[in-house]
Amino acid sequence: MISDPIELRTTLEKRAYEVWISEIMLQQTRVATVIDYWTRWMAKWPTIHDLAAAKSEDVLAQWSGLGYYSRATRIHEAAKLAVGDPDMKGLLPSSAKDLEAKMPGVGAYTAGAISCIVFGNPSAMVDGNVFRVLSRQLGIHGNVKADKAVIDTIWAAADALVKATSELDGDDGSINTEPNDRSGQWGQALMELGSTICTPNPNCSQCPITSTCRVYKEGELQAKKSKEASPRIPDIEDACTLCEPFEGDLEDSDDDSAQDKKRGKAKKPDAKQSKQATLTAFAFTKKTISSSSSLSSPAAAASTASKETMVAITRYARKFPVKPIKKAVRIEETLVCAIRRGDGQYLIQRRPLKGLLAGLWEFPSKLLEASAKIDKKKREQLSVEYVSGLLHGTKAGKKPKISCKGELGSIDWQFTHIKLTMHVHLFTVGEDAMVTEDDEEQPRQWVVDVAGFESMGTGMRKCWDMVKAEAEEL
Ligand code: SF4
């Protein structure tokens, strides 16, 4: 416990900065990859003040390879805002609500994580793993990515759980609601469970919280039902519209993709036919631990369920949450034009600050019209027109001499929702070629060392490898 207020403030400021950067890096990127990036980032900018003073070019360069570059831009914006704000002075807000409202790029999950892990507040942090664990614990067969009612219900449950968990019970029976590290440990434990045991293909036989798991119980009943006819007792849950129905026959349906098709008729088994611990029983407070004597160890759960039953349970659990229908991948083609000047310099330009690969540098590129069937000859013609439009003359006021060396090849690059094919063209121009005036949104410059230009995306670097090999022959 730090008693000196100045030391406490410094510690919180540093910790909040570290957790914030790691959480943003971890969005869409694996831990193993992030560790190296995070270590280099902290070595370069040890405090939020250092980051706020950095050049945006350097921030993007440091992010290079992590993808989703708008994350880096927003981190930088947020750092400048937090340092310049007379109230914050570099210390991030402690409440999840303020973090989400005031910090660019900080969503509900990241806000909860910072508030909870750094400041010890009972704030819920619900990432993809926690959505999966809680949808199974609560038995909600819904879409946790798109269905607002489902999302709100799971967040509300997570919120209630973290609040119950963080309450410290005094020896005299009093409840202390001061910030503490239990909420952070709780949130991280749930995420850990989701990433190791309650994975998309869960290992229910090793799960420590089977006794509170609605889906486990329903799966068990499902297995029983296949052996004996069991009359269904209607209850109040029949009035709930949160869950989506299952496709076809529950027992036989082991095809997850079936859920992507039209939703079918089958209903969930009725877990109330059997006594089940409530969800709050797995928030281990003194108040609930005594009533949760039925909480079972993984070994106990595995020993009471036969192998056949366990297979049925995990098969059933895999159906939770509902798999969202995947968005169709967009097919795009672009002309990448490497323009080499007589003095060996290449023209590069910065991409717009919003959208795909925001703020990164690239060879001048032109997106081809979607659905147009354009062959190699036509692509070459279009790239010549494009480059001619970029170079408006020479210093002597003459038309620049442009020589097209042709299409060197094509590189396929996959983004989450886009499959991009980059057709790489090489041009040579005279030493005195000048670039058409650009606007602030898309500055251009001639550079000698393309490889050393760090804020360039990985796909564009592949194009550079192709250009470099050809340019050596010139
Ligand atoms: S019992 Fe199975 S489905 Fe339920 S929380 Fe544990 S691993 Fe997940």
Side-chain angles (χ1 to χ4, degrees), residues 133 136-137 193 197-198 202-204 207 209-210 213 215-216 317:
V133 173
R136 289 171 177 174
Q137 280 283 324
L193 185 80
I197 291 178
C198 195
N203 186 359
C204 296
C207 181
I209 51 173
T210 52
C213 184
V215 155
Y216 184 95

Side-chain angles (χ1 to χ4, degrees), residues 142-155:
N143 185 336
V144 297
K145 291 217 163 110
D147 188 330
K148 190 171 180 308
V150 170
I151 294 167
D152 289 350
T153 303
I154 291 181
W155 267 98

